[in-house]
Amino acid sequence: MTRKYPGKKPVFLICIIFALFITGCNMLRPTAPKEESEKKKNPPKALTQMEKETDGIIQDLEEVQEKRAKQLREIENPSKERPPEQPQGQQQKQQQDQSQQQQGQEGQEKQQEEQGGQQQDQGQQQGRQQEGQQKQAQQPQQTPQPIPEPDWNKLESIAKTLNEQWNNFEPAAKSDGAMNETIKGFEEQLIALTEQIMARNEEKTLMAAISLYSYFPDFLKLYAHNQPPEIKELRGLTRQIIMYGQQDKWQETRPLLDKMKKAWQEAKTKMKKNDKMLNSKIDAALSDFQFVVTEKKINMAKIKGSILIKNLDQVE
């Protein structure tokens, strides 16, 4: 006779359901960003080198433009330089020397008067020449400064290297999961940058370099990182906004400012080291940059943008 155990079956079923529920939760639990990063491999050297060299092109061109702008400001509003102040004792000595020189000159003039009218005229003429030479020596000689220009030979060499590195990285980009759209866009932008460098077109070269840089965050997201890829995105957006400001295309900066906010929030979730003080500085720098951009103040946007980028470079 089979004995029945009332209540055993429902308890057994409940245990099975609970076990399945726990297993399902573990399968559905999203992987933390840090865990995902640890599973990924390091970015290929060709990719990191391309990012650095593209960034170098942008910095070189921005530096040339800033030097030229500073030179123009100096021409339009030259700064007045005061001669350095001398100690009181040295000033008294110079005054005494000048007084002795004047007395000596007066004695020479009297002697010349005694020697005749012709010699007197010659002495006066020499005195006027010496006085004119002294005035010319005191006046600063202004020589025209050369206008800053990009080092196009250097940029051509970098463009060639970028194309070689892209050839090395492109197969890895495809096998590591980069989107075809991203690969095609990068290829087209690299060609555009190379052509503008060859054409010696400074403004279009800068535009092409900034556009090319915007693709690197998408590639870097495929790999492990020490710094969130969104930091590169923020650097690129900052420069793109400044470029639009220089072209007086302020309307086009609005969607980019929104992208900056989203990228910064995403970057915070991927940081290996959460530096609260640094994050606060970036929050403030981002807010300041946004304000001067909305106010259409291009010179201030350059300053605030530079501060923001320096802070971003410290993120880990």
Side-chain angles (χ1 to χ4, degrees), residues 26 42 216 249:
N26 288 333
N42 292 328
F216 288 111
K249 296 180 180 178

Side-chain angles (χ1 to χ4, degrees), residues 83-287:
E85 296 184 0
Q86 298 175 346
Q88 186 174 2
Q90 188 174 354
Q91 290 180 353
Q92 292 177 352
K93 185 176 183 303
Q94 287 184 349
Q95 291 175 356
Q96 292 176 357
D97 293 341
Q98 290 176 357
S99 176
Q100 291 176 357
Q101 289 178 358
Q102 289 177 356
Q103 292 176 359
Q105 288 178 357
E106 290 175 357
Q108 289 179 358
E109 288 177 358
K110 290 180 180 180
Q111 190 174 10
Q112 288 175 356
E113 288 176 359
E114 294 176 356
Q115 291 177 352
Q118 186 177 1
Q119 291 180 353
Q120 183 179 9
D121 293 338
Q122 290 177 353
Q124 289 176 353
Q125 186 176 1
Q126 289 176 356
R128 285 193 296 268
Q129 289 177 351
Q130 290 176 355
E131 186 178 356
Q133 290 173 356
Q134 290 176 356
K135 288 182 179 180
Q136 288 180 356
Q138 292 174 356
Q139 293 178 353
Q141 295 181 354
Q142 296 181 353
T143 56
Q145 296 181 351
I147 299 174
E149 293 289 341
D151 187 345
W152 292 109
N153 291 330
K154 175 185 174 183
L155 295 181
E156 280 189 20
S157 178
I158 294 175
K160 182 180 178 181
T161 302
L162 282 172
N163 281 273
E164 292 173 350
Q165 290 168 337
W166 171 241
N167 179 251
N168 293 331
F169 172 65
E170 187 176 5
K174 292 179 180 179
S175 62
D176 292 339
M179 297 177 62
N180 291 332
E181 183 181 353
T182 303
I183 294 173
K184 182 181 178 182
F186 186 91
E187 173 74 28
E188 292 175 349
Q189 201 57 51
L190 178 58
I191 292 172
L193 172 61
T194 306
E195 289 179 337
Q196 293 304 330
I197 289 175
M198 297 297 183
R200 302 291 197 266
N201 191 317
E202 182 180 323
E203 183 176 358
K204 290 185 178 180
T205 296
L206 180 58
M207 292 172 60
I210 292 174
S211 297
L212 183 68
Y213 192 86
S214 66
Y215 286 92
F216 288 111
D218 291 334
F219 288 128
L220 290 169
K221 288 175 184 178
L222 302 173
Y223 306 99
H225 58 78
N226 293 323
Q227 186 184 68
E230 286 77 12
I231 297 299
K232 306 293 184 187
E233 183 180 358
L234 284 162
R235 296 173 92 255
L237 288 169
T238 302
R239 287 164 164 167
Q240 195 170 1
I241 288 170
I242 292 172
M243 181 185 67
Y244 280 140
Q246 289 176 319
Q247 298 171 349
D248 202 26
K249 296 180 180 178
W250 295 103
Q251 190 70 20
E252 298 185 34
T253 65
R254 293 183 179 180
L256 300 183
L257 289 172
D258 293 335
K259 289 181 69 175
M260 289 185 76
K261 292 178 183 178
K262 294 177 182 177
W264 174 231
Q265 293 304 319
E266 184 69 18
K268 289 180 182 179
T269 65
K270 297 181 180 179
M271 291 180 183
K272 292 184 177 181
K273 180 181 177 182
N274 192 356
D275 189 331
K276 293 183 179 180
M277 180 58 69
L278 178 59
N279 289 356
S280 297
K281 288 173 63 177
I282 294 174
D283 285 334
L286 185 58
S287 177

